[in-house]
Amino acid sequence: MKNRKGFTLLEVLISAMVITIGVLGVAALIPAAKYQMNEAVKADMSANCGRAALKTMVTMDWLREYEDGGSVFKCVNWSGPAGASSTPNSGVSAADYECSDDIQSNEYFYDHDRLLPFFDTALTGNFQWVGTIVKIGSTGWCEISAAVCYKRPQSEISVSVSSCTSSYGRLCVEGTVSGHTDTATLKAGDYIFLYNSSRGFWYKIINCTFEGSNSVDLDLSGPNWSPGSSGLKAKTPGNVAGVYSELVPITTK
């Protein structure tokens, strides 16, 4: 009989090691893929909620008071900038500021094989929106914005700005923060409303560095604005996943 040449033990071990490295590499991608999928779902839900919120602010006629003057800022579902007026919540319940991110069968024993699906869409989820309405001088227009929060904290965060400079298309803000807790915190990726007595914009936090217990340095990305630091403040409801804005005419009749 002819001798049949087989695999040596060393070759088997090397092959097993190569396969193991490949499997571990694929397994390492699973958490990253899951995170990216969750972020995509969050962004999609945030966008849906934000667009619906903008329509609500217009259709509920909350811009009408500007036809006779009114303050520069109006706030919806949060205290917002200092000196801002609150919108009348006539016909609006607390649930109208929430967006359901869960749709599930109403009964676990429901017979889906013989009956049409019956879903409960009235569930409240993790998304809640707050709004700002900013009057743009005497142009007859205002900017409405909906900031969508994911798992909104109980307290709002304020920053009293001591310095604001522009660098490479970004705003560098230094100031003293209040309302900062373990659950309500400033962090990169969130959004914050920067304002003075006459104007205000939402900015995305690119970098956030705390110095001591209540001093913070923020790098902000957003509209090209050079407000200086006099009377400048910032505020956020916390955990803002996205901000959606639209210019609309004040006269809505």
Side-chain angles (χ1 to χ4, degrees), residues 179-225:
H180 184 270
T181 65
D182 291 338
T183 55
T185 180
L186 292 174
K187 60 183 182 295
D190 282 356
Y191 291 79
I192 194 168
F193 188 71
L194 189 68
Y195 66 96
N196 56 23
S197 59
S198 60
R199 198 69 172 95
F201 296 97
W202 285 95
Y203 286 85
K204 186 173 185 178
I205 301 176
I206 302 301
N207 186 47
C208 177
T209 304
F210 283 93
E211 298 178 356
S213 58
N214 60 352
S215 296
V216 65
D217 293 343
L218 300 173
D219 291 338
L220 306 178
S221 176
N224 185 16
W225 188 38

Side-chain angles (χ1 to χ4, degrees), residues 32-207:
K34 183 178 180 180
Y35 172 80
Q36 293 296 334
M37 183 177 67
N38 290 338
E39 288 299 302
V41 171
K42 185 191 298 185
D44 184 59
M45 281 299 306
S46 174
N48 291 337
C49 185
R51 287 192 293 266
L54 294 177
K55 296 300 182 183
T56 297
M57 283 189 278
V58 173
T59 57
M60 292 303 293
D61 210 10
W62 287 338
L63 312 181
R64 185 176 295 277
E65 82 169 40
Y66 281 140
E67 295 177 6
D68 300 318
S71 59
V72 175
F73 302 108
K74 292 180 70 177
C75 299
V76 182
N77 198 31
W78 69 311
S79 62
S85 62
S86 299
T87 59
N89 293 332
S90 176
V92 180
S93 65
D96 292 320
Y97 297 112
E98 298 179 347
C99 302
S100 175
D101 57 317
D102 300 303
I103 300 179
Q104 62 184 25
S105 175
N106 195 35
E107 301 289 351
Y108 72 92
F109 52 81
Y110 194 82
D111 191 348
H112 295 282
D113 294 331
R114 295 188 301 108
L115 302 175
L116 292 175
F118 177 68
F119 293 97
D120 179 7
T121 59
L123 303 173
T124 55
N126 294 317
F127 295 86
Q128 186 180 104
W129 65 271
V130 303
T132 56
I133 304 175
V134 182
K135 182 180 179 182
I136 305 176
S138 57
T139 62
W141 291 76
C142 62
E143 182 179 55
I144 59 174
S145 299
V148 182
C149 305
Y150 179 73
K151 295 184 178 180
R152 180 183 176 183
Q154 296 296 319
S155 60
E156 299 172 0
I157 306 171
S158 301
V159 178
S160 180
V161 178
S162 58
S163 173
C164 179
T165 57
S166 179
S167 176
Y168 299 102
R170 296 180 180 177
L171 290 182
C172 302
V173 172
E174 299 178 7
T176 303
V177 63
S178 60
H180 184 270
T181 65
D182 291 338
T183 55
T185 180
L186 292 174
K187 60 183 182 295
D190 282 356
Y191 291 79
I192 194 168
F193 188 71
L194 189 68
Y195 66 96
N196 56 23
S197 59
S198 60
R199 198 69 172 95
F201 296 97
W202 285 95
Y203 286 85
K204 186 173 185 178
I205 301 176
I206 302 301
N207 186 47

